[in-house]
Amino acid sequence: MDGVIGKFQLKIKDRESAGNILGETLKDVVKKEDRNDTLVLGIPRGGIIIAEIIARKLSCGFDLLISKRLRAPHNEELAIGAVMEDGTTYLNELVINELKISSEYIKSEILNQLEETRRLARLYKHGNKFYLESNDIDWKNKTIIIVDDGAATGSTITAAIRSIRKSNNPERLVVAIPVSPKGTIILLKNEGIDHIEVITSPQNHNFTSIEQYYQNFDQVTDNQVLDIIKSSLRK
C-alpha cells in the first residue's frame, strides 16, 4: 500500500502519532520473520522521533542517518539538494537551473552543510557514550527503512537512498514518511526503492509545507534527539 489515506486532506496530530500510524502499517510490509534483519534509520531531527516509534513497534534495530538539505539563496526553506555525512550529494538540477544558482554558491553550501552533518555526528554519535556503548548494528544486507517527518522536495531522502545503496548493499530499501506531495513520491520511487509508505500524499498544487499537514509540528531540539538515543539504544 503506497498511501494510507489518499483523497482526504489530513492533519496528523504530531510526530508521535505519525510514528504509531506508520509503525502499524509497516507491519504488513515487513513480516515478523524478517524483522531481526530490519533496521529503521531516522533522519534528525524530526525523523528520529518517528523512527524510534516504528522500530519499537516492529521490534527491530534503530539508528541515525544524517542528511542535510542544501538551501537555496535567499530562501533557506527551499532545498536545491542535500548532502550526507559521507559526502554523498544530490543536486536538484531542475531547481538549480530555474533559479540560475551559481556553481560557486553550490560548492560553498555543500561545504557548509557537510560540516553541519559532521557536527551532528559528533554530537549524536561520536561524542555520545550511550551511542558508542550500545550501537554495534551492522547495516549491510538488511531491510532498511529510511524515516523522516515529511518530504517536500525529497532531497534529503534521495541523498540518503543513494548513500545507503553505495555503501551498504541493502536487501530491501523502504521509505516511511507521514506526508509528501505526489510529485515527490514519484521522484523517490524513481530512485529504485522497494516500497514507500506515506500517510497522506496531497496533489502538488495543494502542498505548501510539511507543517501544513500536522496539528503540532514543534521544532525538535538536539536534547530531544539525545534523550531518544539514550533511552532506545540502551534497551
Side-chain angles (χ1 to χ4, degrees):
M1 180 175 66
D2 281 342
V4 180
I5 297 173
K7 296 182 179 179
F8 303 100
Q9 168 99 13
L10 175 70
K11 283 266 189 179
I12 303 163
K13 181 181 177 183
D14 51 25
R15 293 179 181 88
E16 288 80 4
S17 177
N20 282 309
I21 294 168
L22 288 169
E24 288 299 323
T25 60
L26 284 166
K27 288 179 180 178
D28 294 327
V29 178
V30 183
K31 302 303 180 186
K32 280 187 177 180
E33 59 268 24
D34 298 324
R35 291 178 194 170
N36 283 340
D37 291 317
T38 296
L39 181 60
V40 182
L41 302 179
I43 297 177
R45 296 181 181 91
I48 294 293
I49 293 174
I50 299 170
E52 190 275 332
I53 294 171
I54 292 172
R56 193 161 11 105
K57 282 190 166 288
L58 296 181
S59 299
C60 63
F62 164 71
D63 207 339
L64 318 179
L65 185 66
I66 300 175
S67 178
K68 293 294 293 183
R69 74 172 180 266
L70 304 175
R71 306 161 301 178
H74 316 299
N75 184 358
E76 292 190 354
E77 295 305 312
L78 177 62
I80 61 171
V83 65
M84 301 293 296
E85 182 189 352
D86 67 359
T88 299
T89 303
Y90 162 72
L91 296 176
N92 188 326
E93 298 292 351
L94 189 65
V95 175
I96 289 168
N97 291 335
E98 185 176 329
L99 297 179
K100 298 180 171 60
I101 301 172
S102 71
S103 59
E104 289 77 13
Y105 175 88
I106 293 168
K107 288 176 185 175
S108 174
E109 179 65 2
I110 289 172
L111 288 174
N112 288 338
Q113 296 307 320
L114 185 58
E115 178 53 38
E116 177 63 7
T117 67
R118 290 171 180 170
R119 182 191 75 81
L120 292 175
R122 289 192 297 271
L123 176 64
Y124 298 151
K125 299 180 182 182
H126 309 314
N128 186 327
K129 68 176 182 178
F130 298 108
Y131 187 95
L132 294 173
E133 289 172 0
S134 308
N135 193 51
D136 56 357
I137 301 171
D138 183 3
W139 289 20
K140 294 183 183 298
N141 302 312
K142 291 185 178 293
T143 292
I144 289 184
I145 304 174
I146 301 172
V147 180
D148 206 349
D149 55 12
T153 66
S155 293
T156 53
I157 293 177
T158 299
I161 291 167
R162 294 182 181 185
S163 174
I164 288 169
R165 285 214 183 280
K166 181 172 67 175
S167 56
N168 290 286
N169 188 34
E171 180 71 24
R172 194 169 175 225
L173 194 51
V174 175
V175 170
I177 41 178
V179 57
S180 183
K182 292 189 183 299
T184 298
I185 296 295
I186 291 169
L187 290 175
L188 292 173
K189 286 180 176 178
N190 288 339
E191 290 295 315
I193 56 177
D194 297 285
H195 181 83
I196 184 163
E197 193 71 23
V198 59
I199 298 172
T200 184
S201 183
Q203 297 290 342
N204 284 32
H205 64 267
N206 290 330
F207 182 87
T208 303
S209 67
I210 293 169
E211 184 175 2
Q212 170 189 359
Y213 293 88
Y214 280 87
Q215 292 177 27
N216 182 328
F217 197 65
D218 290 345
Q219 185 174 353
V220 179
T221 67
D222 284 335
N223 283 337
Q224 284 177 273
V225 174
L226 290 168
D227 285 344
I228 290 171
I229 295 169
K230 179 178 178 180
S231 64
S232 65
L233 296 180
R234 297 193 77 189
K235 291 175 183 176

